[in-house]
PDB file of all heavy atoms in Angstrom:
ATOM      1  N   LEU A   1       0.833  -1.205   0.000  1.00 91.00           N
ATOM      2  CA  LEU A   1       0.000   0.000   0.000  1.00 91.00           C
ATOM      3  C   LEU A   1       0.868   1.256   0.000  1.00 91.00           C
ATOM      4  O   LEU A   1       1.903   1.324   0.658  1.00 91.00           O
ATOM      5  CB  LEU A   1      -0.931   0.006   1.210  1.00 91.00           C
ATOM      6  CG  LEU A   1      -1.999  -1.094   1.232  1.00 91.00           C
ATOM      7  CD1 LEU A   1      -2.872  -0.939   2.468  1.00 91.00           C
ATOM      8  CD2 LEU A   1      -2.850  -1.068  -0.032  1.00 91.00           C
ATOM      9  N   HIS A   2       0.416   2.259  -0.724  1.00 92.00           N
ATOM     10  CA  HIS A   2       1.114   3.531  -0.896  1.00 92.00           C
ATOM     11  C   HIS A   2       0.722   4.495   0.233  1.00 92.00           C
ATOM     12  O   HIS A   2      -0.363   4.373   0.811  1.00 92.00           O
ATOM     13  CB  HIS A   2       0.705   4.098  -2.262  1.00 92.00           C
ATOM     14  CG  HIS A   2       1.397   5.355  -2.646  1.00 92.00           C
ATOM     15  ND1 HIS A   2       0.934   6.604  -2.280  1.00 92.00           N
ATOM     16  CD2 HIS A   2       2.517   5.569  -3.380  1.00 92.00           C
ATOM     17  CE1 HIS A   2       1.733   7.530  -2.773  1.00 92.00           C
ATOM     18  NE2 HIS A   2       2.708   6.931  -3.454  1.00 92.00           N
ATOM     19  N   PRO A   3       1.579   5.469   0.576  1.00 92.00           N
ATOM     20  CA  PRO A   3       1.213   6.434   1.625  1.00 92.00           C
ATOM     21  C   PRO A   3      -0.135   7.110   1.404  1.00 92.00           C
ATOM     22  O   PRO A   3      -0.858   7.382   2.370  1.00 92.00           O
ATOM     23  CB  PRO A   3       2.362   7.447   1.575  1.00 92.00           C
ATOM     24  CG  PRO A   3       3.542   6.641   1.126  1.00 92.00           C
ATOM     25  CD  PRO A   3       2.986   5.642   0.150  1.00 92.00           C
ATOM     26  N   ALA A   4      -0.507   7.395   0.153  1.00 94.00           N
ATOM     27  CA  ALA A   4      -1.816   8.009  -0.098  1.00 94.00           C
ATOM     28  C   ALA A   4      -2.942   7.073   0.322  1.00 94.00           C
ATOM     29  O   ALA A   4      -3.976   7.513   0.841  1.00 94.00           O
ATOM     30  CB  ALA A   4      -1.957   8.372  -1.578  1.00 94.00           C
ATOM     31  N   GLN A   5      -2.753   5.787   0.114  1.00 94.00           N
ATOM     32  CA  GLN A   5      -3.755   4.809   0.538  1.00 94.00           C
ATOM     33  C   GLN A   5      -3.791   4.693   2.053  1.00 94.00           C
ATOM     34  O   GLN A   5      -4.866   4.563   2.649  1.00 94.00           O
ATOM     35  CB  GLN A   5      -3.449   3.460  -0.115  1.00 94.00           C
ATOM     36  CG  GLN A   5      -3.595   3.479  -1.630  1.00 94.00           C
ATOM     37  CD  GLN A   5      -3.040   2.241  -2.290  1.00 94.00           C
ATOM     38  OE1 GLN A   5      -1.946   1.790  -1.976  1.00 94.00           O
ATOM     39  NE2 GLN A   5      -3.807   1.677  -3.220  1.00 94.00           N
ATOM     40  N   TRP A   6      -2.621   4.777   2.683  1.00 94.00           N
ATOM     41  CA  TRP A   6      -2.581   4.727   4.148  1.00 94.00           C
ATOM     42  C   TRP A   6      -3.241   5.961   4.768  1.00 94.00           C
ATOM     43  O   TRP A   6      -3.891   5.857   5.811  1.00 94.00           O
ATOM     44  CB  TRP A   6      -1.130   4.609   4.632  1.00 94.00           C
ATOM     45  CG  TRP A   6      -0.575   3.221   4.530  1.00 94.00           C
ATOM     46  CD1 TRP A   6       0.426   2.786   3.727  1.00 94.00           C
ATOM     47  CD2 TRP A   6      -1.010   2.075   5.271  1.00 94.00           C
ATOM     48  NE1 TRP A   6       0.642   1.444   3.901  1.00 94.00           N
ATOM     49  CE2 TRP A   6      -0.216   0.987   4.848  1.00 94.00           C
ATOM     50  CE3 TRP A   6      -1.996   1.857   6.234  1.00 94.00           C
ATOM     51  CZ2 TRP A   6      -0.371  -0.296   5.370  1.00 94.00           C
ATOM     52  CZ3 TRP A   6      -2.155   0.587   6.757  1.00 94.00           C
ATOM     53  CH2 TRP A   6      -1.351  -0.472   6.331  1.00 94.00           C
ATOM     54  N   ARG A   7      -3.070   7.116   4.155  1.00 94.00           N
ATOM     55  CA  ARG A   7      -3.744   8.315   4.691  1.00 94.00           C
ATOM     56  C   ARG A   7      -5.256   8.130   4.655  1.00 94.00           C
ATOM     57  O   ARG A   7      -5.971   8.559   5.575  1.00 94.00           O
ATOM     58  CB  ARG A   7      -3.329   9.555   3.886  1.00 94.00           C
ATOM     59  CG  ARG A   7      -1.910  10.022   4.132  1.00 94.00           C
ATOM     60  CD  ARG A   7      -1.682  11.448   3.656  1.00 94.00           C
ATOM     61  NE  ARG A   7      -1.867  11.590   2.230  1.00 94.00           N
ATOM     62  CZ  ARG A   7      -0.910  11.383   1.317  1.00 94.00           C
ATOM     63  NH1 ARG A   7       0.303  11.008   1.705  1.00 94.00           N
ATOM     64  NH2 ARG A   7      -1.157  11.560   0.037  1.00 94.00           N
ATOM     65  N   LEU A   8      -5.743   7.481   3.602  1.00 95.00           N
ATOM     66  CA  LEU A   8      -7.182   7.224   3.515  1.00 95.00           C
ATOM     67  C   LEU A   8      -7.623   6.264   4.618  1.00 95.00           C
ATOM     68  O   LEU A   8      -8.650   6.488   5.276  1.00 95.00           O
ATOM     69  CB  LEU A   8      -7.522   6.653   2.145  1.00 95.00           C
ATOM     70  CG  LEU A   8      -8.971   6.164   1.954  1.00 95.00           C
ATOM     71  CD1 LEU A   8      -9.959   7.288   2.230  1.00 95.00           C
ATOM     72  CD2 LEU A   8      -9.155   5.604   0.554  1.00 95.00           C
ATOM     73  N   LEU A   9      -6.866   5.202   4.834  1.00 95.00           N
ATOM     74  CA  LEU A   9      -7.237   4.236   5.869  1.00 95.00           C
ATOM     75  C   LEU A   9      -7.163   4.863   7.259  1.00 95.00           C
ATOM     76  O   LEU A   9      -7.994   4.556   8.125  1.00 95.00           O
ATOM     77  CB  LEU A   9      -6.332   3.007   5.782  1.00 95.00           C
ATOM     78  CG  LEU A   9      -6.464   2.179   4.495  1.00 95.00           C
ATOM     79  CD1 LEU A   9      -5.497   0.999   4.511  1.00 95.00           C
ATOM     80  CD2 LEU A   9      -7.900   1.680   4.320  1.00 95.00           C
ATOM     81  N   ARG A  10      -6.180   5.745   7.458  1.00 93.00           N
ATOM     82  CA  ARG A  10      -6.091   6.433   8.749  1.00 93.00           C
ATOM     83  C   ARG A  10      -7.328   7.310   8.964  1.00 93.00           C
ATOM     84  O   ARG A  10      -7.861   7.405  10.083  1.00 93.00           O
ATOM     85  CB  ARG A  10      -4.821   7.267   8.789  1.00 93.00           C
ATOM     86  CG  ARG A  10      -4.603   8.146  10.018  1.00 93.00           C
ATOM     87  CD  ARG A  10      -4.400   7.379  11.311  1.00 93.00           C
ATOM     88  NE  ARG A  10      -5.644   6.842  11.873  1.00 93.00           N
ATOM     89  CZ  ARG A  10      -5.715   6.095  12.959  1.00 93.00           C
ATOM     90  NH1 ARG A  10      -4.597   5.789  13.621  1.00 93.00           N
ATOM     91  NH2 ARG A  10      -6.876   5.649  13.397  1.00 93.00           N
ATOM     92  N   ALA A  11      -7.817   7.930   7.882  1.00 93.00           N
ATOM     93  CA  ALA A  11      -8.998   8.787   7.981  1.00 93.00           C
ATOM     94  C   ALA A  11     -10.288   7.993   8.102  1.00 93.00           C
ATOM     95  O   ALA A  11     -11.308   8.531   8.543  1.00 93.00           O
ATOM     96  CB  ALA A  11      -9.071   9.707   6.760  1.00 93.00           C
ATOM     97  N   ALA A  12     -10.254   6.709   7.733  1.00 94.00           N
ATOM     98  CA  ALA A  12     -11.476   5.900   7.712  1.00 94.00           C
ATOM     99  C   ALA A  12     -11.908   5.440   9.091  1.00 94.00           C
ATOM    100  O   ALA A  12     -13.037   4.952   9.258  1.00 94.00           O
ATOM    101  CB  ALA A  12     -11.277   4.678   6.814  1.00 94.00           C
ATOM    102  N   VAL A  13     -11.039   5.581  10.106  1.00 93.00           N
ATOM    103  CA  VAL A  13     -11.368   5.115  11.447  1.00 93.00           C
ATOM    104  C   VAL A  13     -10.779   6.084  12.459  1.00 93.00           C
ATOM    105  O   VAL A  13      -9.643   6.549  12.311  1.00 93.00           O
ATOM    106  CB  VAL A  13     -10.835   3.679  11.672  1.00 93.00           C
ATOM    107  CG1 VAL A  13      -9.334   3.585  11.473  1.00 93.00           C
ATOM    108  CG2 VAL A  13     -11.232   3.147  13.043  1.00 93.00           C
ATOM    109  N   ALA A  14     -11.554   6.401  13.478  1.00 91.00           N
ATOM    110  CA  ALA A  14     -11.071   7.324  14.506  1.00 91.00           C
ATOM    111  C   ALA A  14      -9.946   6.677  15.307  1.00 91.00           C
ATOM    112  O   ALA A  14     -10.014   5.486  15.633  1.00 91.00           O
ATOM    113  CB  ALA A  14     -12.220   7.708  15.435  1.00 91.00           C
ATOM    114  N   PRO A  15      -8.882   7.429  15.631  1.00 92.00           N
ATOM    115  CA  PRO A  15      -7.795   6.866  16.438  1.00 92.00           C
ATOM    116  C   PRO A  15      -8.313   6.368  17.786  1.00 92.00           C
ATOM    117  O   PRO A  15      -9.166   6.996  18.407  1.00 92.00           O
ATOM    118  CB  PRO A  15      -6.842   8.052  16.615  1.00 92.00           C
ATOM    119  CG  PRO A  15      -7.149   8.964  15.467  1.00 92.00           C
ATOM    120  CD  PRO A  15      -8.625   8.819  15.238  1.00 92.00           C
ATOM    121  N   GLY A  16      -7.801   5.222  18.212  1.00 93.00           N
ATOM    122  CA  GLY A  16      -8.216   4.660  19.481  1.00 93.00           C
ATOM    123  C   GLY A  16      -7.950   3.178  19.534  1.00 93.00           C
ATOM    124  O   GLY A  16      -7.344   2.598  18.614  1.00 93.00           O
ATOM    125  N   PRO A  17      -8.381   2.513  20.599  1.00 94.00           N
ATOM    126  CA  PRO A  17      -8.163   1.074  20.719  1.00 94.00           C
ATOM    127  C   PRO A  17      -8.753   0.312  19.536  1.00 94.00           C
ATOM    128  O   PRO A  17      -9.864   0.590  19.091  1.00 94.00           O
ATOM    129  CB  PRO A  17      -8.879   0.720  22.028  1.00 94.00           C
ATOM    130  CG  PRO A  17      -8.893   1.989  22.812  1.00 94.00           C
ATOM    131  CD  PRO A  17      -9.049   3.075  21.792  1.00 94.00           C
ATOM    132  N   ASP A  18      -7.981  -0.640  19.009  1.00 94.00           N
ATOM    133  CA  ASP A  18      -8.441  -1.544  17.939  1.00 94.00           C
ATOM    134  C   ASP A  18      -8.879  -0.804  16.681  1.00 94.00           C
ATOM    135  O   ASP A  18      -9.767  -1.262  15.963  1.00 94.00           O
ATOM    136  CB  ASP A  18      -9.584  -2.431  18.444  1.00 94.00           C
ATOM    137  CG  ASP A  18      -9.175  -3.272  19.634  1.00 94.00           C
ATOM    138  OD1 ASP A  18      -8.123  -3.922  19.557  1.00 94.00           O
ATOM    139  OD2 ASP A  18      -9.892  -3.260  20.650  1.00 94.00           O
ATOM    140  N   ASP A  19      -8.272   0.345  16.415  1.00 94.00           N
ATOM    141  CA  ASP A  19      -8.658   1.090  15.215  1.00 94.00           C
ATOM    142  C   ASP A  19      -8.145   0.409  13.949  1.00 94.00           C
ATOM    143  O   ASP A  19      -8.900   0.158  13.011  1.00 94.00           O
ATOM    144  CB  ASP A  19      -8.198   2.544  15.298  1.00 94.00           C
ATOM    145  CG  ASP A  19      -6.723   2.698  15.646  1.00 94.00           C
ATOM    146  OD1 ASP A  19      -6.056   1.673  15.923  1.00 94.00           O
ATOM    147  OD2 ASP A  19      -6.227   3.846  15.654  1.00 94.00           O
ATOM    148  N   LEU A  20      -6.847   0.088  13.903  1.00 95.00           N
ATOM    149  CA  LEU A  20      -6.258  -0.532  12.721  1.00 95.00           C
ATOM    150  C   LEU A  20      -5.534  -1.820  13.110  1.00 95.00           C
ATOM    151  O   LEU A  20      -4.781  -1.851  14.093  1.00 95.00           O
ATOM    152  CB  LEU A  20      -5.265   0.418  12.062  1.00 95.00           C
ATOM    153  CG  LEU A  20      -5.852   1.542  11.207  1.00 95.00           C
ATOM    154  CD1 LEU A  20      -4.916   2.736  11.182  1.00 95.00           C
ATOM    155  CD2 LEU A  20      -6.104   1.049   9.796  1.00 95.00           C
ATOM    156  N   PHE A  21      -5.763  -2.880  12.338  1.00 96.00           N
ATOM    157  CA  PHE A  21      -5.056  -4.144  12.517  1.00 96.00           C
ATOM    158  C   PHE A  21      -4.432  -4.473  11.166  1.00 96.00           C
ATOM    159  O   PHE A  21      -5.144  -4.644  10.171  1.00 96.00           O
ATOM    160  CB  PHE A  21      -6.017  -5.245  12.962  1.00 96.00           C
ATOM    161  CG  PHE A  21      -5.335  -6.529  13.357  1.00 96.00           C
ATOM    162  CD1 PHE A  21      -4.842  -6.699  14.644  1.00 96.00           C
ATOM    163  CD2 PHE A  21      -5.182  -7.562  12.445  1.00 96.00           C
ATOM    164  CE1 PHE A  21      -4.216  -7.883  15.019  1.00 96.00           C
ATOM    165  CE2 PHE A  21      -4.562  -8.748  12.807  1.00 96.00           C
ATOM    166  CZ  PHE A  21      -4.078  -8.915  14.102  1.00 96.00           C
ATOM    167  N   VAL A  22      -3.101  -4.544  11.116  1.00 95.00           N
ATOM    168  CA  VAL A  22      -2.368  -4.575   9.856  1.00 95.00           C
ATOM    169  C   VAL A  22      -1.536  -5.850   9.754  1.00 95.00           C
ATOM    170  O   VAL A  22      -0.807  -6.192  10.694  1.00 95.00           O
ATOM    171  CB  VAL A  22      -1.437  -3.348   9.759  1.00 95.00           C
ATOM    172  CG1 VAL A  22      -0.595  -3.400   8.495  1.00 95.00           C
ATOM    173  CG2 VAL A  22      -2.244  -2.057   9.825  1.00 95.00           C
ATOM    174  N   THR A  23      -1.641  -6.567   8.637  1.00 93.00           N
ATOM    175  CA  THR A  23      -0.793  -7.729   8.405  1.00 93.00           C
ATOM    176  C   THR A  23      -0.067  -7.573   7.075  1.00 93.00           C
ATOM    177  O   THR A  23      -0.619  -7.022   6.115  1.00 93.00           O
ATOM    178  CB  THR A  23      -1.596  -9.044   8.373  1.00 93.00           C
ATOM    179  OG1 THR A  23      -2.401  -9.093   7.193  1.00 93.00           O
ATOM    180  CG2 THR A  23      -2.477  -9.172   9.597  1.00 93.00           C
ATOM    181  N   GLY A  24       1.171  -8.062   7.015  1.00 88.00           N
ATOM    182  CA  GLY A  24       1.929  -7.966   5.772  1.00 88.00           C
ATOM    183  C   GLY A  24       3.327  -8.516   5.926  1.00 88.00           C
ATOM    184  O   GLY A  24       3.747  -8.936   7.009  1.00 88.00           O
ATOM    185  N   ASP A  25       4.076  -8.505   4.820  1.00 83.00           N
ATOM    186  CA  ASP A  25       5.427  -9.063   4.787  1.00 83.00           C
ATOM    187  C   ASP A  25       6.270  -8.252   3.806  1.00 83.00           C
ATOM    188  O   ASP A  25       6.010  -8.274   2.604  1.00 83.00           O
ATOM    189  CB  ASP A  25       5.380 -10.528   4.345  1.00 83.00           C
ATOM    190  CG  ASP A  25       6.775 -11.123   4.182  1.00 83.00           C
ATOM    191  OD1 ASP A  25       7.728 -10.573   4.770  1.00 83.00           O
ATOM    192  OD2 ASP A  25       6.912 -12.134   3.473  1.00 83.00           O
ATOM    193  N   PRO A  26       7.287  -7.535   4.276  1.00 76.00           N
ATOM    194  CA  PRO A  26       8.112  -6.734   3.364  1.00 76.00           C
ATOM    195  C   PRO A  26       8.842  -7.571   2.325  1.00 76.00           C
ATOM    196  O   PRO A  26       9.231  -7.051   1.279  1.00 76.00           O
ATOM    197  CB  PRO A  26       9.090  -6.017   4.300  1.00 76.00           C
ATOM    198  CG  PRO A  26       9.098  -6.830   5.557  1.00 76.00           C
ATOM    199  CD  PRO A  26       7.723  -7.396   5.678  1.00 76.00           C
ATOM    200  N   HIS A  27       9.045  -8.871   2.573  1.00 73.00           N
ATOM    201  CA  HIS A  27       9.703  -9.732   1.597  1.00 73.00           C
ATOM    202  C   HIS A  27       8.809 -10.017   0.397  1.00 73.00           C
ATOM    203  O   HIS A  27       9.271 -10.567  -0.603  1.00 73.00           O
ATOM    204  CB  HIS A  27      10.113 -11.052   2.259  1.00 73.00           C
ATOM    205  CG  HIS A  27      11.018 -10.869   3.430  1.00 73.00           C
ATOM    206  ND1 HIS A  27      10.523 -10.628   4.694  1.00 73.00           N
ATOM    207  CD2 HIS A  27      12.361 -10.852   3.532  1.00 73.00           C
ATOM    208  CE1 HIS A  27      11.544 -10.488   5.527  1.00 73.00           C
ATOM    209  NE2 HIS A  27      12.660 -10.612   4.853  1.00 73.00           N
ATOM    210  N   GLN A  28       7.530  -9.662   0.505  1.00 69.00           N
ATOM    211  CA  GLN A  28       6.603  -9.866  -0.602  1.00 69.00           C
ATOM    212  C   GLN A  28       6.155  -8.532  -1.203  1.00 69.00           C
ATOM    213  O   GLN A  28       5.109  -8.449  -1.828  1.00 69.00           O
ATOM    214  CB  GLN A  28       5.390 -10.657  -0.121  1.00 69.00           C
ATOM    215  CG  GLN A  28       5.753 -12.042   0.416  1.00 69.00           C
ATOM    216  CD  GLN A  28       4.527 -12.810   0.859  1.00 69.00           C
ATOM    217  OE1 GLN A  28       3.689 -13.189   0.056  1.00 69.00           O
ATOM    218  NE2 GLN A  28       4.422 -13.047   2.168  1.00 69.00           N
ATOM    219  N   ARG A  29       6.959  -7.497  -1.024  1.00 72.00           N
ATOM    220  CA  ARG A  29       6.619  -6.184  -1.571  1.00 72.00           C
ATOM    221  C   ARG A  29       6.936  -6.175  -3.061  1.00 72.00           C
ATOM    222  O   ARG A  29       8.093  -6.207  -3.458  1.00 72.00           O
ATOM    223  CB  ARG A  29       7.405  -5.092  -0.845  1.00 72.00           C
ATOM    224  CG  ARG A  29       7.050  -3.677  -1.281  1.00 72.00           C
ATOM    225  CD  ARG A  29       7.846  -2.647  -0.503  1.00 72.00           C
ATOM    226  NE  ARG A  29       7.383  -2.534   0.870  1.00 72.00           N
ATOM    227  CZ  ARG A  29       8.166  -2.614   1.940  1.00 72.00           C
ATOM    228  NH1 ARG A  29       9.453  -2.855   1.802  1.00 72.00           N
ATOM    229  NH2 ARG A  29       7.655  -2.488   3.157  1.00 72.00           N
ATOM    230  N   ILE A  30       5.892  -6.142  -3.888  1.00 60.00           N
ATOM    231  CA  ILE A  30       6.105  -6.247  -5.332  1.00 60.00           C
ATOM    232  C   ILE A  30       5.592  -5.024  -6.091  1.00 60.00           C
ATOM    233  O   ILE A  30       5.610  -5.024  -7.317  1.00 60.00           O
ATOM    234  CB  ILE A  30       5.446  -7.522  -5.897  1.00 60.00           C
ATOM    235  CG1 ILE A  30       3.930  -7.489  -5.709  1.00 60.00           C
ATOM    236  CG2 ILE A  30       6.035  -8.761  -5.271  1.00 60.00           C
ATOM    237  CD1 ILE A  30       3.207  -8.673  -6.337  1.00 60.00           C
ATOM    238  N   TYR A  31       5.168  -3.973  -5.367  1.00 63.00           N
ATOM    239  CA  TYR A  31       4.665  -2.792  -6.050  1.00 63.00           C
ATOM    240  C   TYR A  31       5.384  -1.520  -5.625  1.00 63.00           C
ATOM    241  O   TYR A  31       4.883  -0.422  -5.821  1.00 63.00           O
ATOM    242  CB  TYR A  31       3.156  -2.642  -5.831  1.00 63.00           C
ATOM    243  CG  TYR A  31       2.356  -3.669  -6.601  1.00 63.00           C
ATOM    244  CD1 TYR A  31       1.782  -4.754  -5.953  1.00 63.00           C
ATOM    245  CD2 TYR A  31       2.194  -3.563  -7.978  1.00 63.00           C
ATOM    246  CE1 TYR A  31       1.053  -5.701  -6.652  1.00 63.00           C
ATOM    247  CE2 TYR A  31       1.474  -4.513  -8.686  1.00 63.00           C
ATOM    248  CZ  TYR A  31       0.902  -5.572  -8.023  1.00 63.00           C
ATOM    249  OH  TYR A  31       0.184  -6.514  -8.721  1.00 63.00           O
ATOM    250  N   ASP A  32       6.567  -1.661  -5.009  1.00 62.00           N
ATOM    251  CA  ASP A  32       7.446  -0.515  -4.779  1.00 62.00           C
ATOM    252  C   ASP A  32       6.789   0.590  -3.968  1.00 62.00           C
ATOM    253  O   ASP A  32       6.789   1.758  -4.356  1.00 62.00           O
ATOM    254  CB  ASP A  32       7.935   0.043  -6.124  1.00 62.00           C
ATOM    255  CG  ASP A  32       9.140   0.962  -5.950  1.00 62.00           C
ATOM    256  OD1 ASP A  32       9.819   0.823  -4.935  1.00 62.00           O
ATOM    257  OD2 ASP A  32       9.378   1.800  -6.833  1.00 62.00           O
ATOM    258  N   ALA A  33       6.195   0.226  -2.835  1.00 64.00           N
ATOM    259  CA  ALA A  33       5.582   1.229  -1.958  1.00 64.00           C
ATOM    260  C   ALA A  33       6.490   1.453  -0.748  1.00 64.00           C
ATOM    261  O   ALA A  33       6.729   0.535   0.031  1.00 64.00           O
ATOM    262  CB  ALA A  33       4.211   0.753  -1.495  1.00 64.00           C
ATOM    263  N   HIS A  34       7.036   2.660  -0.619  1.00 68.00           N
ATOM    264  CA  HIS A  34       7.915   3.006   0.491  1.00 68.00           C
ATOM    265  C   HIS A  34       7.105   3.773   1.534  1.00 68.00           C
ATOM    266  O   HIS A  34       6.621   4.869   1.253  1.00 68.00           O
ATOM    267  CB  HIS A  34       9.087   3.853   0.012  1.00 68.00           C
ATOM    268  CG  HIS A  34       9.902   3.186  -1.055  1.00 68.00           C
ATOM    269  ND1 HIS A  34      10.796   3.859  -1.849  1.00 68.00           N
ATOM    270  CD2 HIS A  34       9.953   1.886  -1.448  1.00 68.00           C
ATOM    271  CE1 HIS A  34      11.369   3.014  -2.693  1.00 68.00           C
ATOM    272  NE2 HIS A  34      10.866   1.819  -2.470  1.00 68.00           N
ATOM    273  N   VAL A  35       6.974   3.207   2.717  1.00 75.00           N
ATOM    274  CA  VAL A  35       6.032   3.767   3.690  1.00 75.00           C
ATOM    275  C   VAL A  35       6.657   3.831   5.074  1.00 75.00           C
ATOM    276  O   VAL A  35       7.358   2.906   5.498  1.00 75.00           O
ATOM    277  CB  VAL A  35       4.745   2.907   3.766  1.00 75.00           C
ATOM    278  CG1 VAL A  35       3.796   3.483   4.800  1.00 75.00           C
ATOM    279  CG2 VAL A  35       4.056   2.855   2.409  1.00 75.00           C
ATOM    280  N   SER A  36       6.407   4.924   5.777  1.00 78.00           N
ATOM    281  CA  SER A  36       6.647   5.026   7.204  1.00 78.00           C
ATOM    282  C   SER A  36       5.295   5.217   7.870  1.00 78.00           C
ATOM    283  O   SER A  36       4.698   6.290   7.793  1.00 78.00           O
ATOM    284  CB  SER A  36       7.564   6.205   7.531  1.00 78.00           C
ATOM    285  OG  SER A  36       7.508   6.503   8.910  1.00 78.00           O
ATOM    286  N   LEU A  37       4.785   4.147   8.490  1.00 83.00           N
ATOM    287  CA  LEU A  37       3.458   4.227   9.095  1.00 83.00           C
ATOM    288  C   LEU A  37       3.412   5.266  10.213  1.00 83.00           C
ATOM    289  O   LEU A  37       2.418   5.977  10.362  1.00 83.00           O
ATOM    290  CB  LEU A  37       3.049   2.854   9.636  1.00 83.00           C
ATOM    291  CG  LEU A  37       2.780   1.752   8.605  1.00 83.00           C
ATOM    292  CD1 LEU A  37       2.329   0.483   9.304  1.00 83.00           C
ATOM    293  CD2 LEU A  37       1.740   2.205   7.590  1.00 83.00           C
ATOM    294  N   ALA A  38       4.485   5.354  10.988  1.00 83.00           N
ATOM    295  CA  ALA A  38       4.482   6.301  12.108  1.00 83.00           C
ATOM    296  C   ALA A  38       4.294   7.731  11.619  1.00 83.00           C
ATOM    297  O   ALA A  38       3.596   8.533  12.246  1.00 83.00           O
ATOM    298  CB  ALA A  38       5.776   6.168  12.900  1.00 83.00           C
TER     299      ALA A  38
END
């Protein structure tokens, strides 16, 4: 996922407990998305 997509997901849910649950593997990154979630 690209930072623009992450900004949308961050906006889709209010910050708080159990807002976002994220799974993934950088070894399977095949679309060149460089992201700093923090």
Side-chain angles (χ1 to χ4, degrees):
L1 294 182
H2 184 273
Q5 295 169 314
W6 281 114
R7 288 197 298 273
L8 173 57
L9 295 179
R10 175 66 283 177
V13 58
D18 301 310
D19 51 355
L20 282 153
F21 188 85
V22 176
T23 70
D25 175 21
H27 302 86
Q28 299 181 67
R29 184 179 287 128
I30 63 176
Y31 288 105
D32 196 23
H34 302 164
V35 179
S36 165
L37 292 182

